[in-house]
Amino acid sequence: MKNDINMLSEHIMDLDNLKIEYNPKVIESLKEIREWSMEYVSEQFNAGLSLEDATKKLSTELNKNYPNLTDETIYNIFIYVHFYLCR
């Protein structure tokens, strides 16, 4: 399923309105990772870290908790987090 998550990550910004058919379990897993990432960075930011430092810590945590995520998937998660936190 992790490879499926990596393949789906290019759609991370629009998981709620996908125009493609995809395994619902994979979609839910990526949504959980996405939401966990948002919460993690928000907590770090609220604790006084810069967005850049909070994102660096997120990278470490994602690699530790989800070791099968590709660099591209982690990058897509960063884009999502920055987009929503900087609005």
Side-chain angles (χ1 to χ4, degrees):
M1 184 158 72
K2 292 295 183 190
N3 286 336
D4 291 338
I5 287 173
N6 289 316
M7 290 173 52
L8 185 63
S9 76
E10 67 186 68
H11 301 284
I12 198 162
M13 299 294 277
D14 203 28
L15 289 177
D16 297 317
N17 299 308
L18 281 179
K19 304 281 190 255
I20 60 173
E21 292 292 321
Y22 221 83
N23 181 335
K25 288 182 181 179
V26 173
I27 294 169
E28 285 306 310
S29 292
L30 187 54
K31 282 182 179 179
E32 289 172 12
I33 294 169
R34 181 181 75 178
E35 295 310 310
W36 178 85
S37 297
M38 284 287 296
E39 290 173 15
Y40 183 84
V41 171
S42 292
E43 288 171 4
Q44 299 301 313
F45 187 70
N46 289 336
L49 288 181
S50 68
L51 186 56
E52 181 180 348
D53 288 341
T55 303
K56 286 179 187 174
K57 284 187 79 171
L58 173 64
S59 178
T60 301
E61 290 300 311
L62 285 171
N63 283 315
K64 184 170 53 172
N65 295 322
Y66 306 98
N68 294 329
L69 294 180
T70 64
D71 289 342
E72 181 181 355
T73 299
I74 292 173
Y75 176 77
N76 289 335
I77 292 169
F78 289 171
I79 297 296
Y80 177 84
V81 169
H82 280 248
F83 177 78
Y84 281 98
L85 289 180
C86 292
R87 305 195 291 171

